[in-house]
């Protein structure tokens, strides 16, 4: 199955309407999910808040905000992501990222900047404790048992007692287990420091590379690492991440345009060309088994997302390579991922 | 002497949360966590032209006798995230989140609140609460680091810092670097969110202690109080409003809103019967024993809830329950409850019900409307935060039956005049301090 997703980032947009419009457009294209990037360092709204605002205005599309792990409280982060899953009825994801600069550290004044490797190790701990907290309520913990006067069965709530290198959390969560069990975790695995964390904790790994062969190599690496961590490699979706500029029309001749494939830029691998050429590229990389799908960042948000949905996606659907409707309702279902088993189920508190 | 014009009543709705106010055993009770419940209650509040919708917060599940408390509603979503989603399904209603100033950081929270203000078109409010509770701290990087005495100094500096961040963008959209160096925070940089529609989201403060009153007078736009009797309310109102002048503020700058329960009936007797039935539902036999254990500080599970109060004395500093504070001297409370029980011949459960009654306004819609109006005209309150006992339909009857009577009396709006929460509350725009 081919998985398609898109970014809805818009520089200097501070109104709800423009985000709702793009998310609805992506939903019209039956994409698996949209992402919204975030950092404490540059102008922009809180991404999880924006996608919470988008949730009731959409029906099926997955919603994946970036939430960083370096300066935040893990307990708050897991609660907010679980809540996004509740308000979207099972469509939440979470793209983990770290804050490496001293400038970001100064906004909080609690710690100095640290090397990316240490921060990604901590991000892994945050991913781990989040999963534990999401599991700290069993699905059937709420019993409303009138004869004994008990609202919950407290044997189905669990302390997580997590002790990491930078923080500890007692638990349980304040939020009952979210609809998907675990909201979908997304990690950009392009850089080496993040790759192990992606293999170990991510449901979706993004890979920024300019060729099918390069992407396939990273995908093989990620799958092998996932297996070493005791995971089923088939439970990890690897998506090629491209910036797409669909402004120039079809069949541009020079390499890096259209048929020449993407080229490396400061913003990451950039595809320039027409929607038909992009459909060919997607079909070819996916057909070769190099990727499970794509994460596409429109260079010009409105224009390129519209061309992506009405051009590229429509063509892939016409060729029978991409679905024409959502068979399920949760993001996990779109991605073909199972609902995780609760790690505490059956254990007394 | 000319008569002063009728004061307008402010109304807000509290989402029934985690305590025995909420009757989960009622057949009309629905999910406390699914978005549809929040949507129903918020839409009802907006239909009733309320000023705002109010969410409480929990950061650690309560424990009793070393185990997680299981008798009341437990579990809730994270409040700012729910309010952002509610911004999509409401147009005018203010959206108030309770967020702890002890276990958060100014930069991040100021950004989340400014974002909510943008996404809702100027309807965000922050209810500032504090904690010195090491029990709650076990869920956070910070741990239980804060002395009781420092909670309010940190909270005051937190609010001031958030306002500095909100003011770091000029009203015409220029960002300027900020730097704050104080006792609790030493931070600098650039704020990522432009000045939001309200300039500063509305600040609400809950708490009746002397420190809390002073903090509110200095800082808050709205006070959420427990004072719900006419005389108690008038004294609280006069006291808090009397503290405003020394901060250069007027009585219009701070709205006082007690949290209240309302029970309606077609006759006064029917309303009383319903109120009594609700109190029984709120206090199961198990809840009665637990309430007593919180005060006595010892295991009372062998006592019969339908029997007399224990003749043993409470321990002086009960620690049986964590995650919830019960104010006052437990020996005195126990003595008062014993006297009440003796005088009226009440069992344990009946005593708990009698002593802990929460319904402030009980009667016909006409009587309740008149009483609410009297409270406001006589300066016992500027308005009320209604605490329904049912989720999500607990506000329907009030909106259908009492709001029209308040409108007839000329003390409640018949339409929203402005779009922001500040405009609903009659609060002025904050002066930009660049």
């Amino acid at each position: 199955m081919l998985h398609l997703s898109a970014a809805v980032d818009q520089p200097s947009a501070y109104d709800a309407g423009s985000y709702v419009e793009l998310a609805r457009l992506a939903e019209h294209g039956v994409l698996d999910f949209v992402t919204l990037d975030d950092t404490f360092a540059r102008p922009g709204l809180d991404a999880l808040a924006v996608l919470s605002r988008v949730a009731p205005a959409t029906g099926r599309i997955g919603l994946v905000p970036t939430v960083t792990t370096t300066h935040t409280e893990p307990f708050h982060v897991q609660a907010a992501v679980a809540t996004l899953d509740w308000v979207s009825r099972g469509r939440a994801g979470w793209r983990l990222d770290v804050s490496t600069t001293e400038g970001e550290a100064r906004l909080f004044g609690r710690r100095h900047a640290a090397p990316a490797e240490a921060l990604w190790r901590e991000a892994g701990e945050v991913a781990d404790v989040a999963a534990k907290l999401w599991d700290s309520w069993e699905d059937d913990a709420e019993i409303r048992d009138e004869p004994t006067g008990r609202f919950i069965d407290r044997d189905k709530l669990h302390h997580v007692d997590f002790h990491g290198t930078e923080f500890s959390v007692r638990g349980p969560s304040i939020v009952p287990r979210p609809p998907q069990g675990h909201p979908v975790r997304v990690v950009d695995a392009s850089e080496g420091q993040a790759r192990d964390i992606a293999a170990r904790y991510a449901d979706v790994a993004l890979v920024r590379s300019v060729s099918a062969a390069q992407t396939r190599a990273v995908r093989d690496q990620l799958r092998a690492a996932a297996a070493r961590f005791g995971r089923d490699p088939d439970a990890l979706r690897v998506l090629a991440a491209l910036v797409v500029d669909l402004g120039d029309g079809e069949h541009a001749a020079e390499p890096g345009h259209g048929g020449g494939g993407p080229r490396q830029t400061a913003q990451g691998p950039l595809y320039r060309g027409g929607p038909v050429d992009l459909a060919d590229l997607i079909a070819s990389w996916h057909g070769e088994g190099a990727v499970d799908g794509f994460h596409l960042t429109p260079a010009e948000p409105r224009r390129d997302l519209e061309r992506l949905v009405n051009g590229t996606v429509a063509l892939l659907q016409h060729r029978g390579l991409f679905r024409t409707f959502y068979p399920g309702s949760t993001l996990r279902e779109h991605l073909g991922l199972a609902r995780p088993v609760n790690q505490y189920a059956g254990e007394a508190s | 002497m000319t008569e002063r014009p009728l004061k307008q009543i402010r109304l807000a709705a509290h989402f029934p949360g985690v305590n025995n106010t909420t009757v989960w055993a009622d057949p009309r009770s629905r999910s406390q966590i699914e978005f549809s419940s929040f949507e129903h209650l918020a839409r009802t509040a907006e239909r009733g032209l309320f000023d705002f919708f109010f969410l409480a917060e929990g950061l650690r599940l309560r424990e009793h006798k070393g185990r997680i408390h299981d008798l009341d509603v437990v579990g809730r979503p994270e409040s700012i995230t729910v309010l952002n989603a509610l911004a999509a399904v409401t147009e005018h209603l203010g959206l108030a989140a309770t967020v702890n100033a002890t276990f958060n950081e100014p930069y991040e929270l100021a950004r989340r609140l400014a974002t909510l203000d943008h996404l809702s078109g100027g309807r965000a409010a922050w209810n500032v609460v504090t904690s010195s509770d090491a029990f709650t701290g076990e869920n956070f990087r910070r741990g239980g680091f804060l002395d009781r005495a420092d909670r309010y100094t940190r909270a005051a500096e937190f609010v001031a810092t958030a306002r500095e961040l909100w003011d770091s963008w000029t009203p015409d959209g220029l960002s300027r670097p900020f730097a704050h160096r104080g006792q609790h925070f030493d931070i600098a940089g650039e704020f990522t969110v432009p000045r939001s529609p309200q300039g500063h989201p509305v600040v609400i403060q809950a708490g009746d202690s002397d420190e809390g009153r002073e903090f509110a007078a200095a800082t808050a736009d709205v006070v959420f109080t427990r004072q719900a009797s006419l005389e108690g309310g008038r004294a609280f109102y006069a006291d808090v409003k009397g503290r405003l002048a020394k901060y250069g503020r007027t009585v219009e700058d701070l709205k006082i809103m007690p949290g209240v329960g309302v029970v309606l009936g077609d006759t006064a007797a029917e309303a009383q019967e319903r109120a009594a039935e609700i109190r029984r539902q709120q206090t199961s036999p198990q809840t009665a024993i637990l309430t007593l254990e919180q005060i006595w500080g010892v295991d009372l599970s062998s006592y019969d809830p339908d029997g007399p109060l224990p003749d043993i004395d409470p321990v002086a500093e009960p620690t049986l329950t964590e995650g919830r504070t019960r104010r006052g001297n437990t020996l005195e409370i126990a003595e008062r409850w014993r006297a009440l029980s003796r005088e009226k011949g009440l069992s344990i459960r009946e005593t708990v019900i009698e002593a802990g009654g929460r319904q402030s306004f009980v009667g016909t819609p006409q009587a309740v409307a008149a009483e609410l109006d009297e409270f406001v005209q006589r300066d016992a309150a500027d308005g009320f935060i209604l605490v329904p006992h049912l989720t999500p339909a607990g506000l329907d009857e009030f909106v259908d039956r009492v709001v029209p009577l308040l409108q007839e009396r000329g003390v409640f709006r018949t339409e929203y005049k402005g779009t922001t929460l500040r405009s609903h509350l009659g609060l002025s725009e904050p002066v930009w301090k660049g």
Side-chain angles (χ1 to χ4, degrees), chain B residues 263-264 269-282 353 359 361-363:
Chain B
V263 183
L264 303 173
E270 188 195 312
Q272 289 296 345
E273 272 169 39
R274 287 180 70 184
E277 175 54 27
I278 290 164
R279 285 203 295 272
R280 282 181 59 78
Q281 288 181 305
Q282 288 170 330
I353 288 171
Q359 290 82 12
F361 297 94
V362 178

Side-chain angles (χ1 to χ4, degrees), chain B residues 114-155:
Chain B
T115 296
L116 176 62
D117 210 42
H118 276 287
L119 295 175
S120 65
R123 299 188 275 139
W126 172 29
N127 177 38
V128 186
V129 294
T130 63
S131 174
S132 61
D133 186 351
F135 174 78
T136 306
E138 284 179 5
N139 281 337
F140 296 96
R141 290 178 187 267
R142 283 282 194 189
F145 71 103
L146 203 61
D147 285 345
R148 192 176 166 76
D150 285 337
R151 319 195 270 172
Y152 279 110
T153 61
R154 179 178 162 105

Side-chain angles (χ1 to χ4, degrees), chain B residues 64-65 289-290 292-303 310 312-313 315 320:
Chain B
H64 182 69
K65 296 196 282 190
I289 294 294
L290 174 129
L292 230 55
E293 286 178 338
Q294 289 175 339
I295 294 164
W296 260 255
V298 291
D299 185 337
L300 300 173
S301 52
S302 61
Y303 282 77
I312 54 170
D313 279 333
V315 300
L320 217 52

Side-chain angles (χ1 to χ4, degrees), chain B residues 5-182:
Chain B
L6 286 174
K7 272 172 76 183
Q8 292 295 301
I9 297 178
R10 317 280 160 203
L11 290 175
H14 185 281
F15 186 83
V18 173
N19 56 46
N20 72 319
T21 312
T22 307
V23 176
W24 55 260
D26 191 289
R28 291 165 295 174
S29 168
R30 297 279 177 270
S31 171
Q32 315 288 328
I33 186 81
E34 281 171 23
F35 184 65
S36 58
S37 291
F38 292 87
E39 185 174 356
H40 180 106
L41 209 86
R43 282 186 192 269
T44 308
E46 185 159 275
R47 180 162 63 81
L49 306 173
F50 280 35
D51 289 357
F52 61 90
F53 181 78
F54 183 94
L55 290 181
E57 180 190 50
L59 297 177
R60 174 113 189 234
L61 298 182
R62 274 180 285 157
E63 292 184 10
H64 182 69
K65 296 196 282 190
R67 304 196 66 196
I68 289 162
H69 174 68
D70 59 359
L71 300 180
D72 303 335
V73 172
V74 176
R76 48 183 148 198
E78 189 272 315
S79 58
I80 295 183
T81 303
V82 172
L83 294 176
N84 276 301
L86 286 174
V89 297
T90 54
E91 263 181 76
H92 293 91
L93 189 67
L95 303 165
T98 301
V99 186
N100 196 294
T102 308
F103 299 112
N104 284 281
E105 298 301 316
Y107 183 84
E108 185 186 13
L109 183 56
R111 185 170 180 266
R112 297 186 76 207
L113 290 165
T115 296
L116 176 62
D117 210 42
H118 276 287
L119 295 175
S120 65
R123 299 188 275 139
W126 172 29
N127 177 38
V128 186
V129 294
T130 63
S131 174
S132 61
D133 186 351
F135 174 78
T136 306
E138 284 179 5
N139 281 337
F140 296 96
R141 290 178 187 267
R142 283 282 194 189
F145 71 103
L146 203 61
D147 285 345
R148 192 176 166 76
D150 285 337
R151 319 195 270 172
Y152 279 110
T153 61
R154 179 178 162 105
E157 190 179 331
F158 198 126
V159 174
T161 308
R163 286 176 173 153
E164 287 167 30
L165 296 174
W166 294 328
D167 280 347
S168 71
W169 283 71
T170 67
D172 43 357
L174 294 174
S175 168
R176 308 189 318 177
F178 70 86
H180 172 97
R181 183 166 211 161

